[in-house]
Amino acid sequence: VEIGDQTLREILVRPVSRWSVLFTKVFALCTLSFTTLVITFAVSVLGGATLFELSGSLPDLLLGYLASFASDIGLIAMATAVAVFFRGAGGVVVSVVIALMVDMAARGVLKLAGAFGSEAAKSISKFLPGSALACWETWKDGFEAGPFVGLAVLIVACFSVAMARFQTMDIP
């Protein structure tokens, strides 16, 4: 959208670095995600305290929400890496959704192969982006480190691609 209506061009002719423009956009998205999760956490804790006993489960719940925030940052990183290749938001959303659907299908096939005894399939599945984005699911099992390492690699790789592309792209 910003490329099409030339808003980005107007921003970039000012004396600000491209890095700061991209960082500001990512920071705004992360702030929105964090705020939404804080509100959801507060509502769930208040609702849970009203309806149930919260004995000892609050730290685990907080860790689950923090893992969910980390997962959101991974999704923001993926969308940012894709966004520097498209002119419109529609292309970004469709591309990310299709990529996640392909990832889910691949993990399903690998899980099925693992059910039939293929240890390699189980190992490969752990390295796919969807496994990293689902790191928050491990909170109930004591937080495995592997998905979080994969998420960190995904975040660094996506932001590196986004920054490299954004630094060199020509803005019409």
Side-chain angles (χ1 to χ4, degrees):
V1 173
E2 291 177 331
I3 293 175
D5 67 4
Q6 296 185 351
T7 306
L8 187 58
R9 180 176 174 218
E10 294 300 321
I11 291 170
L12 293 177
V13 296
R14 292 178 175 30
V16 295
S17 66
R18 287 183 179 222
W19 180 88
S20 65
V21 171
L22 194 62
F23 175 77
T24 302
K25 291 177 179 301
V26 168
F27 182 76
L29 288 170
C30 289
T31 302
L32 177 64
S33 170
F34 185 78
T35 303
T36 304
L37 286 170
V38 166
I39 292 169
T40 306
F41 176 76
V43 169
S44 67
V45 167
L46 290 174
T50 304
L51 299 172
F52 307 103
E53 187 178 323
L54 292 177
S55 62
S57 61
L58 200 56
D60 288 338
L61 184 62
L62 181 60
L63 286 174
Y65 273 92
L66 288 174
S68 183
F69 179 60
S71 180
D72 285 354
I73 293 172
L75 197 55
I76 289 168
M78 282 181 65
T80 302
V82 171
V84 295
F85 293 97
F86 289 93
R87 291 192 175 269
V92 175
V93 171
V94 169
S95 297
V96 171
V97 167
I98 289 173
L100 291 175
M101 288 172 61
V102 168
D103 176 85
M104 183 182 291
R107 286 187 297 135
V109 167
L110 290 170
K111 187 173 186 175
L112 187 61
F116 287 110
S118 173
E119 292 299 320
K122 291 179 184 178
S123 299
I124 293 170
S125 178
K126 293 178 182 180
F127 293 103
L128 294 177
S131 295
L133 290 173
C135 66
W136 58 272
E137 291 178 348
T138 66
W139 75 273
K140 61 185 174 207
D141 299 327
F143 288 106
E144 297 173 20
F148 288 96
V149 171
L151 183 61
V153 169
L154 178 71
I155 290 169
V156 169
C158 287
F159 282 141
S160 297
V161 166
M163 185 52 63
R165 168 75 172 140
F166 193 61
Q167 289 288 359
T168 60
M169 69 188 278
D170 187 27
I171 307 298

